[in-house]
Amino acid sequence: MSILATFNSARSSLLAQSRALNVTSNNIGNVNTPGYTRVRPIFLPVPATSAGISIGGGASVDSIQRVVDATLDLQLQRERQQLAYDEHIERGLSGIEGIFEELGGTGINAALSEFFLSLGDLASDSANPTVRESVLQSAQSLIGLIHDADRRLAARAIDANNQLAQSVNEVNTIAANIAQLNGQIFRTGTGETGDVVSSLQDRRAGLLDDLAEHIDFMFFEQPNGQISVFLGGGQVLVDSETSAQLELQPGAPGNPVFFDVFHNLDGSVGGPITSTINGGAMGAAISLRDNQIQSYRDSLDEFTFSLARRINDEHFGPLPAPPPGDAFGLVDNQSRRFFVDGTQAATPDGADFALIGGAAAGISIHADILTDTRHIAAGAVSVGGAGAAAGDNQNALEMAAIELANSSFFQINRDPATGLEIAPGIVPTGTSHTLGSFFDSVSGKLGAELLGSRRALAQGELVVAELEQRRAAVSGVSLDEEVANLIRFERAYQASARIIQDVDQLLGLLMELV
């Protein structure tokens, strides 16, 4: 091997160790940088021959490599998506719990007790105007609480719908940024600018973390360094430098006010894909809006409808048609429902509820009763066509007895194909409860659901924390390891420099011999 070849070999090794020192210095400098992934130089021997013999030409840094475990990263992203989902579900159920806690002892249950207490007073003194006014006032108080609970549940559903819209905008922005970084990484390449590529890849990894907060997805890295991202339903979100867009259109099944999510790739719109989104804030918003919140609104509607039907069966008469002479006020023989659907056109006997859904929002009191409490039907026998006698309390007793009656509740049934409610029958088919115990069962169901959600959240936090620790052990900067590398590269640098120094001395001796 010639002296010049030895010089070139030492020179390439010196440059390689110099770059390795720069890489190590950069790792140490970013030891406290969130999201930074440590990198390492990949050395390759420089081929060289002398007199037909391969003796090597030193070393070079072929590339700068990020130290990652791809399988671990995929697992961590998946768990982050589930954790974000659990966090939003727990938050939503906690809000519902706050509403139903107020429906208990000091809320609807208390107002319900006051209403039946007033009916008991009516049975004791059916002609007393003050008692009749008390019945009306307690009924109005009960209705006001029902309306308020339904309004607050509806507001929670709207909040979830708005969260969905907000997350869609975030997902679209993140997807566009990932596609842009894909292009920058591809055009930058690795080679001498590997440190720049690593920085871009770290930024892209941070965007994937942000994406996991909003939606469930999978991704894989292509040989050219770009990544492809697919949604849970298999739709492409990012492919190389192209990103899809999620669009919102009103018209979710069963509620045209709520949004459905559609997938738009290069102007081709597919969907809706709402039912395929099961992770992140979007999955939680959809589940809360369409399942949990709707379920508890349904329960409130079922309570309201069953309350109205039970009272009206005594105050007006059981369906399909009330028997004449069954319940009378103090004025006339007109049969009237006590509770009516205020969203329907008024009728002499009071508009009945066509559907269970919406009963909590629409329940009202017959307009004649609001105008004149003498129309409250406390009696069961008409006297000369002018209503019940002043002391007739038979119907008031029957209405007061409803408080302790344990019978089936009406239950909402929906068409699976359309999501629309099927009109209820005359006979209820749900579980038997008293009116007062119904909310206890609903609160128990909510408590169990919330407890399960909190357990899932706690477990998810532990899993993510463990995976982050494992990832930090693989990809994080260890000062002890970097200092060891620093010493190793420094000594190799010094050795290469010593070879160059020796070669320089040899060349000097050769020049003296010439």
Side-chain angles (χ1 to χ4, degrees), residues 83-93 163 213 280-281 284-285 288:
L83 179 60
Y85 175 87
D86 290 338
E87 286 176 342
H88 285 83
I89 289 292
E90 191 276 336
R91 193 179 307 160
L93 290 176
Q163 174 64 59
E213 291 289 323
L288 285 168

Side-chain angles (χ1 to χ4, degrees), residues 256-406:
V257 177
F258 289 157
F259 295 130
D260 255 333
V261 184
F262 291 78
H263 178 261
N264 185 340
L265 180 62
D266 293 332
S268 177
V269 180
I273 64 169
T274 316
S275 61
T276 68
I277 300 173
N278 298 305
M282 285 181 63
I286 293 169
S287 181
L288 285 168
R289 184 195 71 181
D290 297 344
N291 298 321
Q292 285 92 342
I293 295 175
Q294 186 60 52
S295 172
Y296 291 106
R297 285 195 76 187
D298 287 349
S299 294
L300 185 61
D301 284 333
E302 290 165 357
F303 166 83
T304 305
F305 187 92
S306 298
L307 166 68
R309 181 63 64 85
R310 292 185 188 186
I311 293 295
N312 287 341
D313 279 350
E314 302 300 335
H315 196 274
F316 176 63
L319 294 178
D326 187 58
F328 303 97
L330 297 174
V331 179
D332 55 33
N333 285 345
Q334 173 68 45
S335 295
R336 298 174 178 85
R337 294 179 174 86
F338 188 91
F339 292 116
V340 298
D341 184 355
T343 65
Q344 304 295 324
T347 61
D349 54 3
D352 195 13
F353 297 88
L355 298 172
I356 301 174
I363 188 172
S364 183
I365 298 173
H366 196 292
D368 289 351
I369 297 175
L370 290 173
T371 304
D372 188 347
T373 57
R374 291 180 299 171
H375 289 300
I376 296 176
V381 178
S382 174
V383 179
D392 188 348
N393 66 351
Q394 183 59 42
N395 209 50
L397 288 170
E398 291 175 354
M399 288 191 291
I402 292 173
E403 180 179 17
L404 302 178
N406 189 15

Side-chain angles (χ1 to χ4, degrees), residues 9-33:
S9 174
R11 176 180 175 275
S12 66
S13 298
L14 185 73
L15 293 176
Q17 304 309 320
S18 175
R19 189 169 184 206
L21 285 168
N22 288 337
V23 169
T24 304
S25 174
N26 186 58
N27 282 340
I28 294 173
N30 286 280
V31 65
N32 294 317
T33 302

Side-chain angles (χ1 to χ4, degrees), residues 121-440:
D121 293 340
L122 180 66
S124 300
D125 192 358
S126 60
N128 191 323
T130 302
V131 173
R132 287 177 170 269
E133 185 65 27
S134 175
V135 173
L136 175 61
Q137 293 298 324
S138 62
Q140 288 179 315
S141 175
L142 175 60
I143 288 175
L145 289 172
I146 292 173
H147 286 172
D148 183 65
D150 182 74
R151 176 189 60 78
R152 293 169 67 185
L153 286 170
R156 293 285 179 178
I158 293 172
D159 290 343
N161 197 53
N162 292 338
Q163 174 64 59
L164 178 63
Q166 180 180 344
S167 289
V168 163
N169 291 333
E170 293 290 337
V171 168
N172 288 338
T173 301
I174 293 170
N177 289 337
I178 291 175
Q180 183 181 23
L181 285 173
N182 270 344
Q184 293 178 11
I185 291 169
F186 176 72
R187 285 186 289 274
T188 302
T190 53
E192 292 299 317
T193 55
D195 52 343
V196 178
V197 170
S198 177
S199 175
L200 294 175
Q201 290 171 322
D202 283 347
R203 287 173 56 192
R204 188 176 63 185
L207 289 174
L208 289 174
D209 290 344
D210 294 340
L211 187 62
E213 291 289 323
H214 297 284
I215 198 168
D216 51 320
F217 65 92
M218 293 186 65
F219 75 95
F220 69 90
E221 187 169 347
Q222 302 172 12
N224 61 8
Q226 298 181 336
I227 64 170
S228 296
V229 182
F230 296 89
L231 299 178
Q235 299 83 10
V236 174
L237 184 63
V238 178
D239 184 25
S240 297
E241 299 181 49
T242 301
S243 64
Q245 294 285 296
L246 300 183
E247 296 181 356
L248 295 175
Q249 297 180 19
N255 195 330
V257 177
F258 289 157
F259 295 130
D260 255 333
V261 184
F262 291 78
H263 178 261
N264 185 340
L265 180 62
D266 293 332
S268 177
V269 180
I273 64 169
T274 316
S275 61
T276 68
I277 300 173
N278 298 305
M282 285 181 63
I286 293 169
S287 181
L288 285 168
R289 184 195 71 181
D290 297 344
N291 298 321
Q292 285 92 342
I293 295 175
Q294 186 60 52
S295 172
Y296 291 106
R297 285 195 76 187
D298 287 349
S299 294
L300 185 61
D301 284 333
E302 290 165 357
F303 166 83
T304 305
F305 187 92
S306 298
L307 166 68
R309 181 63 64 85
R310 292 185 188 186
I311 293 295
N312 287 341
D313 279 350
E314 302 300 335
H315 196 274
F316 176 63
L319 294 178
D326 187 58
F328 303 97
L330 297 174
V331 179
D332 55 33
N333 285 345
Q334 173 68 45
S335 295
R336 298 174 178 85
R337 294 179 174 86
F338 188 91
F339 292 116
V340 298
D341 184 355
T343 65
Q344 304 295 324
T347 61
D349 54 3
D352 195 13
F353 297 88
L355 298 172
I356 301 174
I363 188 172
S364 183
I365 298 173
H366 196 292
D368 289 351
I369 297 175
L370 290 173
T371 304
D372 188 347
T373 57
R374 291 180 299 171
H375 289 300
I376 296 176
V381 178
S382 174
V383 179
D392 188 348
N393 66 351
Q394 183 59 42
N395 209 50
L397 288 170
E398 291 175 354
M399 288 191 291
I402 292 173
E403 180 179 17
L404 302 178
N406 189 15
S407 57
S408 298
F409 266 66
F410 284 88
Q411 190 172 30
I412 293 178
N413 293 309
R414 291 188 172 88
D415 186 331
T418 64
L420 300 177
E421 182 184 349
I422 300 171
I426 296 174
V427 179
T429 58
T431 307
S432 293
H433 291 284
T434 66
L435 288 167
S437 68
F438 179 76
F439 278 114
D440 293 336

